[in-house]
Amino acid sequence: MEASERIIILDFGSQYTQVIARRIREAKVYSDILPYTTPVEEIRAMNPKGLILSGGPASVYSKQAPIPDEGIFELDLPILGICYGMQLLGKFLGGKVERSAEREYGRGTLKVKGESALFKGLPKELEIWNSHGDKLIKLPKGFKSIATTENSPHAAIQKDKILGLQFHPEVAHTPRGSKILSNFVHRICGCKRTWTTESFIEQSIQEIRQQVGKEKVILGLSGGVDSSVAAALLHRAIGKQLVCIMVDNGLLRANEVASVKRIFANGLGLKLKVVDATDQFLGKLSRVSDPEKKRKIIGREFVKVFEEASHEIRNASFLGQGTLYPDVIESVPIDGNPAALIKSHHNVGGLPKRMKLKLVEPLRQLFKDEVRSVGEALGLPKEMVWRQPFPGPGLAVRCLGPMSVERLDILRAADAIVVEEMKLSGYYYQVWQSFAVFLPVKSVGVMGDERTYEYTIAVRIVESLDAMTADWARIPGDILAKISNRIINEVDGVNRVVLDISSKPPATIEWE
Ligand code: XMP
């Protein structure tokens, strides 16, 4: 989508680069992340209103230091260097950076001097967050210091429209950091507040119509947030030209098919084709216990079923997908330790090229929180827009040991209780994920006068910001007691419920 005004963020490998982009967009200005290697001509061609140089793990003096095209300093654009970005200003514009033996890490107090537009509307003393090794010891030519901290006389520097910050305005530990970034994009770059949910929807509807014309689009609707919002947006743009296919692989949560039908087919009037492939999937998965084998089988069967179902939709030439911005950001490894390359998920395999479908990906520019706002604005219900992540291979990776229909049924029933109680208590929307795991472990119990020998359910409830790290959520005991009692009383075949109290790392969120 052609944003009318944009800020470009050059990525030098900071773990916070995406956070910078989100803060800028929260200020209602579109922002793009580009690798630091992007040639200046390419940057110029994108016609940005300003540049931000991100932080990064390297030292500007190290041999492998990521260095941008020097032409960026001649673009006559406002530039904000953050941390490593500011040290680049030091290195290239005639200052001096000192390598320090220790990182300065943690909270600090910023004292603002003078009247820079960057700090307009902010108090003269601000809490800020530092995380840097090197430090600017001599200002680059023509620059002045506009703020100091306990440890640094040059915590913020400026020469006209080129600014540098030693600290991180993008993180939550710098409570007024959003205002600093908003001042940069609005007051210094002169951007207007044009990046809004409504303007995005309006513009992408035009673009989808233009791209698709009179042709048909098929989209695999899983019931997850991304495919749901993509479906709703495409439907708003092209109505009946969109046909959604939902594959029931027998590994979905309780009532999943019914709720997708209710929201999309009945509610929105969208064309939805549900393929019941339960027997096909479960037949292939029967008695398989190796997690990677399960994932492979599920990926393969999905492609088969989806391809077959799409053949029945005549004249479809586009495939709709809920790809998000973090999946398309190009990342470059820095010091062999790129934040963005930590994990590429073992997802349900892509569709084969032989399907010869052109892609339409209306959410390619959005972060997850923006996708949720779009979903809400399109009228999707809260339980859809704010639902927790659910793995592509579904309940299969939560059913340990050899798979069987009986075990999946036990798991599905127990999981429905976890979700229901979490929703009733209000915790469902506060945690990252909450679900049940089937353990193929039988233990002894008593029920009335009888001894039982039945399976175990583990309850996994975690807090996380991005699934990279997670901690088990401290849920009040009475809620856990209710979950446990209900599972044992209502789910046949279970006589024991245990709570998973491991963090990630070293454990993972899912059990497989
Ligand atoms: P782990 O278990 O690796 O999970 O800590 C991190 C996040 O990824 C989800 N997950 C998956 N998602 N296909 C997916 O689409 C998968 O195979 C898969 N495995 C894990 C998990 O639910 C968590 O949100």
Side-chain angles (χ1 to χ4, degrees):
M1 188 162 105
E2 243 346 282
S4 53
E5 292 183 334
R6 77 174 81 214
I7 296 290
I8 286 179
I9 301 160
L10 285 187
D11 180 23
F12 295 90
S14 164
Q15 56 176 321
Y16 303 128
T17 304
Q18 292 193 24
V19 186
I20 305 174
R22 285 166 57 188
R23 293 288 103 83
I24 302 300
R25 291 175 182 208
E26 282 159 17
K28 300 195 170 26
V29 175
Y30 181 69
S31 63
D32 259 325
I33 297 174
L34 297 183
Y36 72 88
T37 46
T38 310
V40 71
E41 300 76 50
E42 228 172 89
I43 296 174
R44 189 184 285 117
M46 291 173 82
N47 194 22
K49 298 278 282 182
L51 280 185
I52 294 181
L53 314 181
S54 85
S59 160
V60 284
Y61 291 128
S62 85
K63 274 210 190 85
Q64 297 107 3
I67 300 295
D69 186 327
E70 277 186 58
I72 60 168
F73 299 110
E74 267 119 54
L75 281 175
D76 200 25
L77 278 178
I79 298 180
L80 175 66
I82 295 176
C83 197
Y84 178 85
M86 160 157 148
Q87 279 130 29
L88 284 172
L89 300 181
K91 180 179 160 103
F92 283 104
L93 303 179
K96 195 157 186 233
V97 177
E98 187 179 64
R99 261 185 139 146
S100 32
E102 276 178 33
R103 272 189 98 71
E104 185 184 357
Y105 186 79
R107 280 178 214 285
T109 306
L110 189 79
K111 290 203 169 119
V112 176
K113 304 191 286 186
E115 296 296 327
S116 171
L118 193 65
F119 297 118
K120 185 102 182 160
L122 286 165
K124 289 286 175 205
E125 263 193 40
L126 292 169
E127 203 182 310
I128 51 106
W129 182 259
N130 283 304
S131 172
H132 58 97
D134 295 358
K135 191 162 142 177
L136 189 69
I137 51 161
K138 181 176 153 248
L139 288 171
K141 282 197 195 85
F143 276 74
K144 59 179 191 289
S145 165
I146 54 170
T148 61
T149 59
E150 299 82 336
N151 298 317
S152 174
H154 310 311
I157 60 169
Q158 178 167 16
K159 178 189 173 193
D160 304 325
K161 295 196 168 187
I162 303 190
L163 300 104
L165 297 175
Q166 183 60 87
F167 59 94
H168 289 272
E170 68 276 21
V171 302
H173 294 312
T174 300
R176 304 299 304 274
S178 298
K179 174 75 177 158
I180 298 175
L181 290 170
S182 146
N183 279 343
F184 175 69
V185 297
H186 296 300
R187 294 179 188 277
I188 295 169
C189 302
C191 296
K192 292 184 277 306
R193 294 167 199 272
T194 49
W195 179 251
T196 61
T197 305
E198 294 68 32
S199 68
F200 169 81
I201 294 175
E202 220 171 279
Q203 205 180 328
S204 46
I205 288 175
Q206 301 307 327
E207 287 180 6
I208 293 166
R209 285 181 183 155
Q210 212 166 32
Q211 187 188 359
V212 169
K214 297 223 172 322
E215 299 179 54
K216 269 193 197 150
V217 178
I218 47 178
L219 177 136
L221 185 56
S222 71
V225 179
D226 308 343
S227 65
S228 296
V229 175
L233 185 55
L234 284 162
H235 180 255
R236 178 73 65 93
I238 55 170
K240 300 270 183 221
Q241 284 166 261
L242 172 72
V243 185
C244 291
I245 299 173
M246 181 175 197
V247 176
D248 183 355
N249 56 10
L251 306 163
L252 304 176
R253 286 162 289 187
N255 303 319
E256 196 70 357
V257 172
S259 84
V260 168
K261 274 188 185 160
R262 181 171 43 78
I263 295 169
F264 289 96
N266 308 342
L268 290 184
L270 175 150
K271 268 198 203 166
L272 173 68
K273 189 177 160 88
V274 178
V275 186
D276 181 358
T278 308
D279 292 344
Q280 180 173 338
F281 278 84
L282 299 188
K284 290 272 190 299
L285 287 167
S286 169
R287 290 191 290 280
V288 177
S289 46
D290 179 298
E292 289 317 305
K293 262 197 201 135
K294 287 184 194 171
R295 283 194 169 85
K296 280 212 182 82
I297 294 172
I298 294 163
R300 205 167 51 222
E301 294 311 304
F302 179 82
V303 170
K304 275 194 215 159
V305 174
F306 191 87
E307 207 180 351
E308 208 177 293
S310 60
H311 285 325
E312 288 164 23
I313 299 160
R314 292 214 315 219
N315 307 327
S317 46
F318 282 93
L319 178 71
Q321 273 185 343
T323 315
L324 305 195
Y325 192 60
D327 304 325
V328 298
I329 298 172
E330 209 186 310
S331 52
V332 250
I334 286 155
D335 270 7
N337 179 26
L341 296 184
I342 290 172
K343 193 165 189 175
S344 65
H345 230 302
H346 23 254
N347 236 331
V348 174
L351 294 170
K353 291 234 175 2
R354 64 169 177 273
M355 287 185 70
K356 294 208 182 75
L357 294 167
K358 294 170 272 182
L359 284 183
V360 45
E361 300 178 301
L363 311 178
R364 261 180 91 80
Q365 281 185 307
L366 304 187
F367 286 107
K368 193 83 170 191
D369 38 0
E370 296 173 314
V371 171
R372 292 203 160 104
S373 313
V374 169
E376 278 177 337
L378 291 171
L380 290 179
K382 175 182 174 183
E383 70 260 28
M384 181 120 268
V385 170
W386 289 97
R387 70 189 319 189
Q388 296 173 355
F390 183 65
L395 297 181
V397 291
R398 296 177 180 171
C399 184
L400 275 70
M403 299 265 297
S404 73
V405 173
E406 180 213 359
R407 290 174 172 204
L408 281 168
D409 285 344
I410 291 176
L411 172 59
R412 190 175 291 111
D415 186 69
I417 293 172
V418 176
V419 171
E420 194 179 315
E421 290 302 327
M422 289 296 285
K423 284 190 174 163
L424 282 172
S425 69
Y427 277 95
Y428 179 88
Y429 296 108
Q430 289 173 33
V431 300
W432 177 261
Q433 273 172 294
S434 46
F435 55 88
V437 181
F438 175 92
L439 305 187
V441 174
K442 282 190 167 179
S443 66
V444 173
V446 282
M447 192 101 51
D449 293 333
E450 281 185 43
R451 261 168 66 99
T452 58
Y453 189 57
E454 292 179 328
Y455 289 117
T456 311
I457 287 289
V459 174
R460 181 73 163 142
I461 309 176
V462 297
E463 286 174 353
S464 175
L465 287 175
D466 52 12
M468 295 294 182
T469 61
D471 197 7
W472 59 283
R474 275 50 167 187
I475 300 295
D478 52 341
I479 297 164
L480 296 172
K482 207 158 165 218
I483 291 175
S484 157
N485 283 339
R486 281 196 56 198
I487 293 176
I488 292 172
N489 289 326
E490 295 173 31
V491 183
D492 281 346
V494 178
N495 66 357
R496 199 172 290 272
V497 172
V498 297
L499 181 67
D500 180 348
I501 53 170
S502 355
S503 60
K504 172 183 179 175
T508 50
I509 296 176
E510 304 289 346
W511 278 46
E512 286 193 335

